[in-house]
Amino acid sequence: ETGVTQSPTHLIKTRGQQVTLRCSSQSGHNTVSWYQQALGQGPQFIFQYYREEENGRGNFPPRFSGLQFPNYSSELNVNALELDDSALYLCASSSEYDRGQDGYTFGSGTRLTVV
Amino acid sequence: RKEVEQDPGPFNVPEGATVAFNCTYSNSASQSFFWYRQDCRKEPKLLMSVYSSGNEDGRFTAQLNRASQYISLLIRDSKLSDSATYLCVVLRGGGNKLTFGTGTQLKVEL
């Protein structure tokens, strides 16, 4: 069984640039959630995608957007990067039948640094 | 007030000690509860789910008190390898997002 994979693992961007992060969900999972974890904090929910539609969103501005593809993989896009966007970005997948009831399995994350 | 609150620590304990972490949550609609473990610069990994009746997994025991909206994690006979950050996590009923506490850092020393 393939787990959740994320790419790239590390990224450095300049303030004002745009970035795209990618996530491949675990086999059999059709729901993908994205979280942002700043240093010293717990992960914060950005949004969730189910069957290619956004299915809930946290307190993040519109410059954070996403996509889910027919194979259930997903992208997180961030426009107009700010220094505070520097964080570990985590992706988690689940099936519609558990929706996290048994906890989510996270990918190893993308560490984004904005300079 | 944060939705999930934890003491950030760090908790520095000797090997073999028993240590307890506490967590409170504010939303009474919370339905599922978890403890995750996170090693430095790694992703969080599910340690255990927490059930109303309490549950145990080896050296780890989790308790839930719905009336007080309080969750605990007890680690017995601490090992050096238990050093990590422990995250308290809740999921609302019918919800689709996990809400994390800030985490409690544990350092087990010789």
Side-chain angles (χ1 to χ4, degrees):
Chain A
E1 183 176 272
T2 308
V4 180
T5 58
Q6 291 186 243
S7 63
T9 55
H10 295 84
L11 202 52
I12 300 175
K13 289 286 192 179
T14 303
R15 191 169 47 181
Q17 285 188 310
Q18 178 266 343
V19 69
T20 297
L21 310 182
R22 296 179 174 82
C23 172
S24 295
S25 60
Q26 185 170 313
S27 178
H29 286 179
N30 57 11
T31 303
V32 173
S33 304
W34 286 92
Y35 289 78
Q36 179 197 65
Q37 187 175 22
L39 199 61
Q41 301 296 316
Q44 299 292 312
F45 176 72
I46 303 175
F47 41 54
Q48 183 182 85
Y49 276 83
Y50 169 62
R51 293 187 175 179
E52 303 176 55
E53 298 282 337
E54 189 178 286
N55 182 42
R57 187 180 182 93
N59 189 25
F60 281 82
R63 60 189 185 83
F64 285 77
S65 63
L67 283 173
Q68 187 178 32
F69 300 99
N71 66 354
Y72 305 128
S73 67
S74 177
E75 286 183 354
L76 164 65
N77 299 292
V78 187
N79 293 323
L81 284 166
E82 301 177 0
L83 297 179
D84 285 349
D85 296 333
S86 296
L88 179 67
Y89 288 84
L90 296 159
C91 169
S93 71
S94 60
S95 79
E96 63 191 289
Y97 303 108
D98 66 48
R99 284 284 169 84
Q101 296 297 323
D102 297 319
Y104 287 123
T105 298
F106 286 86
S108 56
T110 294
R111 190 164 297 279
L112 173 65
T113 302
V114 182
V115 297
Chain B
R1 182 186 172 188
K2 290 185 179 179
E3 196 167 335
V4 179
E5 300 220 43
Q6 294 182 252
D7 181 341
F11 283 55
N12 298 323
V13 303
E15 204 174 13
T18 295
V19 61
F21 302 138
N22 303 317
C23 167
T24 57
Y25 61 95
S26 60
N27 194 319
S28 58
S30 299
Q31 186 177 62
S32 301
F33 308 89
F34 312 95
W35 284 101
Y36 275 72
R37 171 195 168 126
Q38 186 170 28
D39 293 291
C40 187
R41 303 181 75 81
K42 300 283 190 181
E43 75 276 21
K45 293 186 177 178
L46 180 64
L47 178 66
M48 57 198 303
S49 300
V50 187
Y51 304 116
S52 296
S53 54
N55 49 300
E56 187 175 306
D57 183 2
R59 297 181 293 108
F60 299 84
T61 301
Q63 296 278 350
L64 167 65
N65 184 322
R66 285 186 186 271
S68 302
Q69 297 183 190
Y70 171 92
I71 306 161
S72 66
L73 177 68
L74 185 75
I75 305 175
R76 290 182 299 279
D77 188 23
S78 299
K79 312 289 185 191
L80 294 175
S81 57
D82 294 334
S83 298
T85 295
Y86 291 83
L87 295 156
C88 176
V89 187
V90 305
L91 178 71
R92 285 190 217 173
N96 56 6
K97 70 166 189 174
L98 298 177
T99 301
F100 288 78
T102 54
T104 299
Q105 188 178 12
L106 172 66
K107 296 181 181 179
V108 181
E109 302 165 332
L110 286 171

